[in-house]
Amino acid sequence: MKDILIITPPFTQLNTPYPASAYIKGFLNTKNIESFQMDLGIEVILELFSKQGLTDLFQVDSNSKSENSTRIYSLKEEYIKTIDSVVSFLQGKNQSLARTICSGNFLPEASRFNQLDDMEWAFGNMGMQDKAKHLATLYLEDLSDYIVECVDENFGFSRYAERLGRSANSFDKLYLHLQNQQTYIDRITLKILKERIKDIHPKLVCFSVPFPGNLYSAFKCAQFIKSNFPNCKIAMGGGFPNTELRELKDQRVFEFFDFISLDDGELPLELIYNSVGQTEPAEVELKRTYILEKGKVSYKNNTTKTDYKQSQVGTPDYSDLLLDKYISVIEIANPMHSLWSDGRWNKLTMAHGCYWGKCTFCDVSLDYIKLYEPVAAKTIVDRMEALILQTGETGFHFVDEAAPPALMREVALEIIRRKLVVTWWTNIRFEKSFTADLTYLLKESGCIAVSGGLEVASDRLLDLIQKGVSVAQVAQVTRNFTESGIMVHAYLMYGYPTQTIQETIDSLEMVRQMFELRIIQSGFWHQFAMTAHSPVGLSPEEFGVIPEQNEILFANNDINFIDKTGIDHEQFSFGLKKSLFNFMHGMCFDYPLQDWFDFKIPNTKIASDYIYSCLEKDEDFSFKPSAKVFWLGTKPEVSSFTKSKKGMSWQMMELTFHSKANTFQIALEEDVANWLLLLLKKISVGEGTVHTLLQIKSEFETEFEDFELIWFSKPINQLRNNGLIVL
């Protein structure tokens, strides 16, 4: 028996659990509140995509079968025979099957295989395992297509009945759908849920609903609990209510839920838990929580308690989750998308909120963005070590809105000091703090990829967005990451208010040049969407858009609008995405931009060497007294020799350095070499001390003269290229 059951409803990701429940369970541990968590989505998927699951699936009557579904049905015995082996392979348990999958004539193939990329082109450098994962993914997507057509039209691997939850200003459509008979997917979901509730006997069931695609299942599960376990109280929190349910008025929602909390969930959940069993709801102390009170929706925020600091919320706890049963898939040949869907990642945050918090398309008015609170680097790495022990996984995805560069630096240093071998990636802003030295440090600590917003690739629009970066700056920063061996993914946007056709084409040219110069390896175009809590949504008249006004009784986030420019931005979607796909594969850079569109576009006004010229500007390596200096290399081998010239001789030292990739030597006069050896020992990251350039200069000049002369000399420059970093 556990006091609380925390559920992530179907569906989020196949390869890793959505982290919210692990965060909440970690917090509840600090309060000695017993809880159990489950990712209901992966449990449904595992039951559905199994030998018994497919046997049952193909027995479901269907009046409508396309040619594709007829083919799948006719091959049902092949699917039933192969499904357990394929799922086991995608779980990492049967890797030898990759050769069988790639050899052909093993997987039954339907329409998804007609869209197959040229395999050598897409996967030639990625290896047999990834090729096999992609083929196995197509196999699962064929089955998904069959389910959508013949069994449940709302099915999707990472979302379920999403259309019912997306910006549903009225609850009517979802409410009516909930009165329908259970679907095939519902029956699987509710059977698993029933068994778990009987095992756990919770007082309180909490649904974490991150996306519109989780909403229907959350309501369907809550409806089932109300009918079958009436003594259980039910709460909802998570990303969806935080962004969409801030103007909730429809009392019918509380036929399903007793509590709906907003924003950070720790204190609201603690107070909800304390209230369970109280007989006088009017006296209940709650934080940012909706309840039904005297037949009306009431927002309760009547506690004097303040939210917990990030240092107080505990370490995420992934226990109870089926960590060895998640499925790694490769849907498309995009290197960053493969990170999202392939492999299991421990999820952490470096900071709550966004340290920038100004972008006009972003929900900067909401707490999850505007309340910025970093976590101490040592605490972050403590949590990493705890999760490695718990999960056995050394991969981390920091899910920050934008990870702060200074904190990333401290985390990287702490990882290196502890000699941890980890792999990590995160989201950033492409700001000038990411120097070549900092990106080198991040790589040494295990950083493999970053994603960030280039957005509209237009300085005028970047300024209007208040992004705080320029195209030239983005180019220089992405170059630094790329040269350090860190993959870069760019979020790209089109259709921002007041964006002209010329600016869209010029943005495409900027992106083309960046891919051609290989300073960006991955990207994705998104059409601008106006949200209710962004500066554009809050003050649309200032951005030249006219919103469609609807009465809000249920959800409110995405807002339909009319752009006063009258431009149909949707028409650019196919051409932008098709060109990007080719650029990512290193192709078609010489195509005229007009070739990507079937309508007339203007010629670009961007010079063909614009990005190249931006990269010609060297970083500022001038003497900065407050800069911190670190040595990431090894202790050198030392040998002495005598140098003679014009009858004079003096003692020299040759220092031989062995890095992971090469060996190099530098020669210095003996006294300077001894000074350098002592310096490298003091500034070694493993020493845990911090020395500034000013301190180093002062110490040097107690024995020698002209520090700048040695600091900018060829030997020191060699070290600067091999582990001597200035931050």
Side-chain angles (χ1 to χ4, degrees), residues 68 109-117 138 142:
N68 185 60
E109 299 180 8
S111 65
R112 292 285 182 158
F113 286 77
N114 298 335
Q115 307 165 26
L116 196 58
D117 299 326
L138 297 177
D142 275 333

Side-chain angles (χ1 to χ4, degrees), residues 6-7 44 231 246 292 399 439 489 599 616 646:
I6 312 162
I7 299 174
V44 172
N231 292 328
R246 307 190 77 88
L292 192 67
V399 293
T439 57
H489 174 85
F599 54 91
E616 285 190 309
K646 294 182 179 181

Side-chain angles (χ1 to χ4, degrees), residues 449-480:
V450 293
S451 56
L454 172 55
E455 316 305 357
V456 289
S458 156
D459 284 339
R460 182 189 78 85
L461 290 170
L462 285 170
D463 186 55
L464 187 61
I465 286 174
Q466 296 186 36
K467 190 72 183 177
V469 300
S470 65
V471 174
Q473 182 177 309
V474 171
Q476 292 156 10
V477 168
T478 55
R479 182 264 318 275
N480 292 342

Side-chain angles (χ1 to χ4, degrees), residues 199-217:
D199 288 343
I200 302 301
H201 298 292
K203 301 174 186 176
L204 175 65
V205 179
C206 300
F207 288 91
S208 177
V209 183
F211 309 116
N214 305 96
L215 188 69
Y216 166 77
S217 281

Side-chain angles (χ1 to χ4, degrees), residues 260-280:
I260 297 177
S261 71
L262 303 181
D263 302 324
D264 291 353
E266 289 85 4
L267 181 58
L269 178 54
E270 181 184 15
L271 295 176
I272 288 170
Y273 172 74
N274 291 341
S275 75
V276 171
Q278 290 190 27
T279 57
E280 298 294 334

Side-chain angles (χ1 to χ4, degrees), residues 343-371:
R344 211 198 68 71
W345 302 93
N346 294 318
K347 308 265 187 174
L348 282 173
T349 49
M350 294 192 189
H352 181 286
C354 179
Y355 70 95
W356 180 249
K358 297 178 183 178
C359 298
T360 55
F361 61 81
C362 190
D363 292 339
V364 296
S365 66
L366 298 183
D367 285 359
Y368 83 96
I369 299 287
K370 73 178 182 181
L371 296 183

Side-chain angles (χ1 to χ4, degrees), residues 290-309:
Y290 287 107
I291 62 172
L292 192 67
E293 194 172 41
K294 298 178 181 178
K296 293 185 178 181
V297 178
S298 176
Y299 180 69
K300 288 288 187 180
N301 195 24
N302 58 348
T303 183
T304 58
K305 296 179 180 178
T306 58
D307 283 298
Y308 290 96
K309 298 292 185 183

